[in-house]
Amino acid sequence: MAASQARAVVFAYHNVGVRCLKVLLAGGVDVALVVTHEDNPDEAIWFESVVRLCRAEGIPHVTPADAKSPGLLARVRAARPDFLFSFYYRHMLPAAILEVAPAFNMHGSLLPQFRGRAPVNWAVLHGATETGATLHEMTVKPDAGAIVTQSAVPILPDDTAFEVFGKVTVAAEQALWTVLPALLDGSAPRTHNDLAKGGYFGGRKPEDGRIDWREPAQAVYNLHRAVAPPYPGAFTDLNGVRCVIGRARLSKLALPSLPPGLAVVDNCVFGVCGDGRALAISELIADGERVDAGRLQRMLAAAGAD
């Protein structure tokens, strides 16, 4: 099948959704319908808009609240697609939709590693030094289908999840661009997705960013990197005030004589960890405002007085 003849229904959201949808259009795919999400007003929207791209390109699009809606199944069938694609769409597609046409998903890790939700954040949290993007066949079981292609990117020691996500977005675009002609003509290879070699991870909530200062400094630093802004951020509560770490690095300074938690040393803010090592915190935020060393010193004194 020539690329210009291929017809697709695309489920897409976020930056990966925008970039991969652009790859399909550049590859000559006729995108008959895009299924995406309404933006959540309670979520910080720092990523690109699939809806805006659809409007610019004149692509029909819908934003159903439920991927299992009979109306959605009817729309997908009516489009008569040769392929289905899912690019960071947030809902699982039911079996009835997956039966309409061969379906492929772009996942933000090197499967079978970090299957499930928030794969970039989990990779950073676990101290991985590499991740990437994987295009794979979709099955009812999430992230379990045969692998079509992968593209790897490094996770550097000080990379935040936001920075890694930018790399993964480019990796997804490159992976899809490279394999698309073979995918459309039916010659793309498949590799077994050995689920025994990787783990499944669930979604993350803001509360998961709570810091346990008794943990080693590397673990606390990985948590900070995994949820640093624009994600909700790693946080600690001090005398009823929530303090969120905006920016920090592992410090070469050891502070074994100080108890775990926030501290001020030589007019600098630190987070002292259970192994005596510390994070040098260059941006600490409370009630939407930056907390400098002087204010933190007063907050610590007030907490001690209580």
Side-chain angles (χ1 to χ4, degrees), residues 17 95 108 213 282 285 288 293:
W213 293 110
S282 55
I285 303 167

Side-chain angles (χ1 to χ4, degrees), residues 8-268:
V9 170
V10 180
F11 296 77
Y13 195 59
H14 220 290
N15 291 354
V16 171
V18 169
R19 298 308 305 176
C20 288
L21 182 53
K22 287 185 175 183
V23 169
L24 295 184
L25 296 174
V29 175
D30 176 13
V31 178
L33 176 69
V34 168
V35 185
T36 185
H37 302 285
E38 296 282 358
D39 290 336
N40 183 345
D42 297 325
E43 181 178 356
I45 305 300
W46 50 267
F47 41 84
E48 295 183 75
S49 170
V50 169
V51 169
R52 188 176 300 117
L53 175 60
C54 289
R55 288 173 178 164
E57 297 289 343
I59 301 171
H61 60 280
V62 293
T63 57
D66 186 357
K68 297 180 180 179
S69 164
L72 177 60
L73 177 59
R75 287 289 301 265
V76 173
R77 285 174 172 165
R80 296 186 298 171
D82 302 302
F83 297 92
L84 303 178
F85 292 99
S86 179
F87 304 132
Y88 268 63
Y89 187 69
R90 290 178 168 178
H91 295 162
M92 290 293 298
L93 301 187
I97 286 181
L98 296 180
E99 291 168 358
V100 172
F104 301 89
N105 176 63
M106 185 67 75
H107 185 72
S109 78
L110 298 176
L111 291 179
Q113 300 295 321
F114 300 108
R115 304 191 305 276
R117 304 286 187 179
V120 169
N121 306 80
W122 283 113
V124 174
L125 180 67
H126 282 266
T129 59
E130 183 182 61
T131 190
T134 301
L135 185 72
H136 66 94
E137 293 180 339
M138 293 187 75
T139 63
V140 174
K141 186 174 182 178
D143 306 325
I147 294 169
V148 178
T149 190
Q150 295 182 313
S151 180
V153 298
I155 302 177
L156 303 184
D158 295 311
D159 280 345
T160 65
F162 174 73
E163 292 169 323
V164 176
F165 187 82
K167 300 180 189 183
V168 169
T169 300
V170 174
E173 178 178 336
Q174 291 177 330
L176 182 61
W177 176 260
T178 301
V179 81
L180 185 60
L183 191 67
L184 297 179
D185 69 19
S187 65
R190 305 290 195 275
T191 302
H192 175 58
N193 189 0
D194 188 353
L195 304 187
K197 295 182 178 179
Y200 183 85
F201 295 83
R204 293 188 58 81
K205 305 179 294 297
E207 179 63 23
D208 295 329
R210 182 180 295 276
I211 299 168
D212 182 351
W213 293 110
R214 297 169 297 181
E215 292 284 322
Q218 185 66 60
V220 175
Y221 186 48
N222 287 348
L223 174 62
H224 158 64
R225 294 165 55 223
V227 297
Y231 298 105
F235 68 89
T236 187
D237 292 335
L238 181 59
N239 205 27
V241 178
R242 178 148 300 182
C243 299
V244 179
I245 298 179
R247 290 197 300 270
R249 291 178 67 91
L250 275 178
S251 174
K252 296 180 180 179
L253 183 66
L255 301 169
S257 62
L258 295 179
L262 293 173
V264 177
V265 178
D266 294 334
N267 204 37
C268 295

